[in-house]
């Protein structure tokens, strides 16, 4: 009998098929990882932007009621908000503190739009289609601050109404909410 040498065409074909399946699986894993990384980055940006406006509210406590956008008739910011058209708060504080509120909300709007310029001169990215909402409860001086944005993969629709029906399928809408209470100082 003659001994067989080398590989047959069938063995080579099976090996190539298995290697191709492995490469395709790895590529799929890479795509899922990129999607998850983007979702994580957007969530981190939402937390950062909510913390920004919460800090501004705490710093300007005498005109804090003016930050309640929903009570001022503004559904959300994050789309190139123009305070001269949408906003006129005279609820509390003096003119300087009310002007500070308007400046703070304009800065938050820019942050949500991704237009904030960093120290290096580069534009900073943001969430996809971000919207910011602020509700105010006068009884306990608390604010409900929410940022909503367009997610990449469907999950579960958030319970917050911020950004509702703006992103098509509600299961792709993401929202991060923080409740901030401002104590009354005498």
């Amino acid at each position: 009998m003659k001994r067989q040498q080398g590989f047959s065409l069938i063995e080579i074909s099976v090996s190539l098929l298995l290697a191709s399946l492995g490469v395709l699986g790895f590529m799929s894993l890479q795509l899922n990882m990129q999607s998850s990384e983007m979702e994580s980055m957007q969530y981190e940006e939402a937390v950062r932007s909510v913390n920004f406006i919460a800090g501004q509210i705490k710093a300007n406590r005498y005109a804090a009621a003016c930050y309640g956008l929903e009570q001022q008739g503004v559904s959300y910011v994050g789309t190139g908000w123009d305070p001269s058209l949408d906003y006129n708060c005279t609820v509390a504080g003096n003119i300087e503190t009310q002007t500070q509120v308007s400046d703070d909300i304009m800065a938050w709007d820019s942050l949500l739009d991704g237009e904030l310029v960093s120290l290096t001169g580069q534009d900073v990215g943001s969430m996809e289609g971000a919207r910011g909402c602020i509700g105010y409860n006068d009884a306990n001086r608390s604010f409900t601050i929410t940022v909503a944005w367009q997610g990449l993969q469907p999950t579960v629709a958030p319970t917050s109404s911020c950004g509702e029906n703006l992103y098509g399928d509600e299961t792709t809408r993401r929202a991060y909410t923080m409740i901030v209470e401002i104590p009354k100082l005498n």
Side-chain angles (χ1 to χ4, degrees):
M1 265 198 178
K2 204 173 173 191
R3 286 184 14 198
Q4 182 180 5
Q5 294 182 6
F7 295 101
S8 71
L9 187 58
I10 292 174
E11 291 170 327
I12 292 174
S13 298
V14 169
S15 297
L16 286 175
L17 177 67
L18 291 175
S20 298
L21 289 175
V23 168
L24 287 175
F26 182 73
M27 288 172 53
S28 175
L29 177 66
Q30 286 294 101
L31 287 174
N32 285 335
M33 285 175 38
Q34 284 180 333
S35 175
S36 295
E37 184 177 339
M38 182 66 170
E39 291 271 0
S40 177
M41 187 275 307
Q42 289 182 331
Y43 180 81
E44 188 177 312
E45 287 294 323
V47 170
R48 194 172 299 137
S49 67
V50 166
N51 284 332
F52 166 79
I53 198 66
Q56 300 307 104
I57 292 170
K58 290 175 186 176
N60 194 3
R61 67 179 60 246
Y62 296 110
C66 288
Y67 286 94
L69 295 176
E70 292 174 3
Q71 286 66 28
Q72 304 299 323
V74 179
S75 300
Y76 53 82
V77 297
T79 57
W81 180 69
D82 183 358
S84 65
L85 300 175
D86 300 334
Y87 183 81
N88 184 19
C89 179
T90 57
V91 174
N94 56 34
I95 278 295
E96 289 81 23
T97 57
Q98 292 168 10
T99 302
Q100 184 61 48
V101 171
S102 181
D103 292 346
D104 291 344
I105 293 173
M106 281 181 28
W108 193 41
D109 176 73
S110 292
L111 182 64
L112 293 171
D113 281 343
E115 297 172 355
L116 187 66
V117 177
S118 70
L119 296 174
T120 61
Q122 299 289 329
D123 286 345
V124 177
S126 189
M127 299 135 297
E128 181 73 28
R131 304 291 190 271
C133 306
I134 304 174
Y136 177 64
N137 182 339
D138 192 41
N140 61 3
R141 291 179 49 93
S142 69
F143 294 86
T144 303
I145 306 168
T146 303
V147 170
W149 69 95
Q150 174 75 48
L152 300 175
Q153 301 293 327
T155 58
V156 177
T159 57
S160 170
S161 63
C162 184
E164 202 167 45
N165 300 319
L166 292 177
Y167 306 111
D169 184 3
E170 284 298 298
T171 61
T172 59
R173 180 172 59 100
R174 305 288 186 268
Y176 174 77
T177 300
M178 174 191 282
I179 297 176
V180 176
E181 291 186 16
I182 305 296
K184 188 165 187 150
L185 301 176
N186 294 327

